[in-house]
Amino acid sequence: MKGHRAPSDKPKSRQKAAKKSAAGVPAIISTTKHSIGKMGVIKSLKTLMTVNQKGGFDCPGCAWPDPDGKRTKFEFCENGAKAVADEAMRKKIGSRFFSKFSISELSLKSDYWLNKQGRLVEPLYKKPNSDFYEKIGWDDAFEIIGKELNSLNNPNDAIFYTSGRTSNEAAFLYQLFVRSYGTNNLPDCSNMCHESSGAGLTETIGIGKGTVTLEDFDNASLVVVMGQNPGTNHPRMLSALESTKKNGGKIIHVNPLPEAGLVRFKHPQDYLKLSFKSTKLADLHLAVKINGDVALMKGIGKYLLGENKKGTYSFDENFISSKTNGFEEYVSSLENTNWEKIIQSSGINRELIEKAGKMFSESKSIIICWAMGLTQHKNGVDNVKETVNLLLMGGNIGRPGAGVCPVRGHSNVQGDRTMGIWEKPKKSFLDSLGKRFDFKPPLEHGYDTVSAIKAMYEGEAKVFIGLGGNFISATPDTDFTAKAIRKTNLSVQISTKLNRSHLVTGKKSLILPCLGRTEIDIVNGQKQFVSVENSMGVVHSSQGNLKPASINLKSEPAIIAGIANKTLKGKNIDWNYLISDYNNIRNAIEDCISGFENYNSRILNPSGFYLPNPPKDSQSFSTSEGKANFSVNEIPDNNNPKGYLTMMTIRSHDQYNTTIYGLDDRYRGIKGNRYVVLMNEKDITELGFTPGQKVKIISDFDGEYRAVEGFTIMTYQIPLGCIATYFPEANPLVPIGHVALKSNTPASKSVFVRFENN
């Protein structure tokens, strides 16, 4: 197999010194340039003044919550503004564009180039054996989908994927249609990111969500940010961390790379107050080896155990005895773990680990935050469970300023799961759904993302429908996934912008363009709104204010209803009634899902409402024995095989998930190129390479050869034996079978690779 090469439109790379602070004037300049360049002055002002405002629309950029009370006039960050401008851009593409470019030609373009082409404005169809998309009417498109679905021998032969930007209303309709059709094949982006969080938290505290609110950051004595780069991926989180520091709290940053956003932060809005000072954030940076987190956390736990025995630190014994199970086994595991193993696996010396432990011992309320740096490992679930251990020791669940905080990326990925987008639904939910709509939902568990790819590859799944997202770029093992998609009879992408998933298709393919979060949605003469759930369990409304990019666009609920009508022929459910007024959808959600009582009245509260969260609300835990569970998690062997390095994939500052806004990574000092590998200078020398040299990166430790070519070596402050590459450019190196235990999440943060001269 030939290695993946960098695209022909790739410019040369340059490297400058990494930044030591985030936001500030550069963020203002970048936001202004990007917004005006894509939307123009008037549209930029109209749009950005209503993003994340009460009565406005929810930013599609991330799931970080908005303040419950008073909000500033600018409740968005640099990357949020880019996401909004990207969706609301003036450029448009339709059938004329696709008559100029074949699918093969477009496949040679970079993700950055594809994204710049504009908004999709009309339905498009690729016929069998054709290399071009052509214009098609909506009714004909729905007819093709319905006919294909009804021709399958079994409903389980179809895959229904969902992106986290989908609204609650669309997600509920989508899963209702899929289950009415007869399958639970509802993989989603959670399977690839925070599925490990859900699995680990459900096992330990009985709920797969975080247990903190935005206000808790004001009251936290210590916030630990693990495997996460909020300055790039969740910039508004920096405001919460700034609040922690200004209220006397401390911050520990655990990550292989130093990140500017955790060094210093300058809130752009402070300039309006004539304040020019920045805030130092992280009090301690622990440059952990890739996948050394369990060892580090065990080291902190072992230190606290020792201090407890000396009488200088006290566990929350009342909480432990009344609210938890498994403490004795956990303590025994700490006693039986030697410091040599902890230091070797974590890559952190004992002095620094004990310094972090002392910060824990001195803190009355602790929050631990994390993202995919913890979840995308083979032992990702154990990583999450180990964070819970540290919090349970001090009773740091369910009290002000304390708890677990998995930070979600997509703006409504948590809401999608709440709405039933899951391949393993609970029977109680299915019973409610069946009773409300008078049908028998399937009980057999469906495919998650990785198993869906394998099913398509084996020819067991023949139709793929994607509600948002960029499946081919987001998933692991790109060649394998591409072959899988190409074996399907029909692939359908419901999208706002052109992406690589439109170019890797089934024998037949449809692109169905939908309204964006920023746009007005009118049904039967009435302006509709939708709702979303943020990272902290708050459900609130979102209503676009821009004229749609085209009269040919349909809303996601309308597209789902159109497919359902052609597929199910009106059986049991009146889809047209449900979408005639989105209040009807919310009434149905209220009937089926706990916590949504009086949905249509409560959603009118400008700040929304909190869903029930037993650990947070009352320190109660819906586990098998009704208590939170300590766990014993083994330190993984993260030694590199001889001749190999451990690779993790990361994102640049100028991207959102798979969407590439630019080729620079301002905070890391990288200019003009994403095909780079960040590497410790000692490793470069020891392996006989030089900075600036182009290499082929090879992943073959599992016995199968995968490679990417044309990557430039750059020196960076990263632990020995570790390298970092950008997502999705390095996704071809992640084996399809390299997944986290229990969650089946792709282990993209720890892949053994080697280099060859390019």
Side-chain angles (χ1 to χ4, degrees), residues 252-256 284-288 296 300 348 352-353 356:
I252 297 175
H253 182 212
V254 181
N255 198 55
L284 178 64
H285 173 226
L286 298 175
V288 68
L296 171 62
I300 293 172
I348 308 294
L352 279 178
I353 295 174

Side-chain angles (χ1 to χ4, degrees), residues 343-636:
I343 293 166
Q344 183 279 322
S345 181
S346 68
I348 308 294
N349 65 49
R350 182 168 175 173
E351 181 182 358
L352 279 178
I353 295 174
E354 292 187 339
K355 183 176 181 180
K358 190 171 190 298
M359 293 171 70
F360 268 77
S361 70
E362 294 172 344
S363 300
K364 296 180 179 180
S365 51
I366 302 171
I367 296 172
I368 300 183
C369 308
W370 69 87
M372 287 176 282
L374 286 195
T375 63
Q376 289 185 328
H377 299 279
K378 187 174 182 179
N379 53 285
V381 175
D382 285 354
N383 284 339
V384 172
K385 290 163 66 177
E386 200 65 40
T387 68
V388 175
N389 283 339
L390 284 181
L391 293 172
L392 293 180
M393 293 173 79
N396 285 297
I397 299 282
R399 70 169 190 236
V404 293
C405 183
V407 182
R408 313 282 176 168
H410 278 289
S411 61
N412 196 40
V413 62
Q414 190 160 290
D416 284 359
R417 184 55 59 88
T418 302
M419 291 296 105
I421 300 291
W422 196 24
E423 74 281 356
K424 296 181 286 189
K426 293 182 179 179
K427 187 176 183 301
S428 57
F429 170 74
L430 295 179
D431 289 344
S432 296
L433 199 67
K435 182 178 178 181
R436 172 62 176 79
F437 290 100
D438 191 26
F439 78 105
K440 291 184 177 181
L443 299 177
E444 179 186 2
H445 286 174
Y447 295 126
D448 62 15
T449 297
V450 168
S451 58
I453 295 169
K454 291 180 178 178
M456 289 186 286
Y457 188 86
E458 297 297 330
E460 296 171 0
K462 300 174 177 62
V463 173
F464 175 89
I465 299 178
L467 181 60
N470 181 0
F471 189 80
I472 192 67
S473 290
T475 48
D477 213 338
T478 309
D479 277 343
F480 186 94
T481 303
K483 290 175 183 176
I485 291 286
R486 289 182 174 123
K487 290 183 179 183
T488 61
N489 295 331
L490 173 67
S491 60
V492 181
Q493 302 290 343
I494 301 169
S495 312
T496 57
K497 301 284 296 296
L498 178 64
N499 64 52
R500 197 156 300 281
S501 291
H502 303 127
L503 312 176
V504 179
T505 73
K507 297 176 180 66
K508 293 179 287 188
S509 179
L510 284 161
I511 299 175
L512 304 182
C514 63
L515 291 172
R517 188 77 62 81
T518 58
E519 292 170 319
I520 298 169
D521 182 4
I522 295 178
V523 180
N524 295 326
Q526 297 294 317
K527 190 176 180 182
Q528 304 293 318
F529 68 87
V530 295
S531 56
V532 297
E533 178 186 349
N534 65 36
S535 262
M536 296 179 182
V538 179
V539 179
H540 61 94
S541 63
S542 175
Q543 188 172 55
N545 66 341
L546 297 181
K547 180 181 177 182
S550 167
I551 60 173
N552 291 322
L553 301 181
K554 287 185 179 291
S555 69
E556 289 179 329
I559 293 172
I560 295 163
I563 295 172
N565 280 325
K566 291 294 184 181
T567 305
L568 304 176
K569 309 295 183 183
K571 183 171 56 179
N572 293 331
I573 299 167
D574 189 343
W575 301 97
N576 292 334
Y577 167 75
L578 287 171
I579 65 166
S580 65
D581 185 332
Y582 294 175
N583 285 334
N584 299 335
I585 306 174
R586 287 186 283 271
N587 283 334
I589 293 171
E590 177 182 337
D591 292 341
C592 298
I593 303 175
S594 175
F596 286 85
E597 295 77 17
N598 302 313
Y599 195 176
N600 274 315
S601 58
R602 293 164 72 202
I603 198 63
L604 297 178
N605 181 336
S607 295
F609 60 90
Y610 282 87
L611 291 175
N613 189 309
K616 171 175 69 72
D617 300 337
S618 58
Q619 288 190 332
S620 55
F621 305 96
S622 301
T623 57
S624 59
E625 296 186 28
K627 291 186 175 183
N629 293 313
F630 281 92
S631 57
V632 175
N633 307 296
E634 296 300 320
I635 294 176

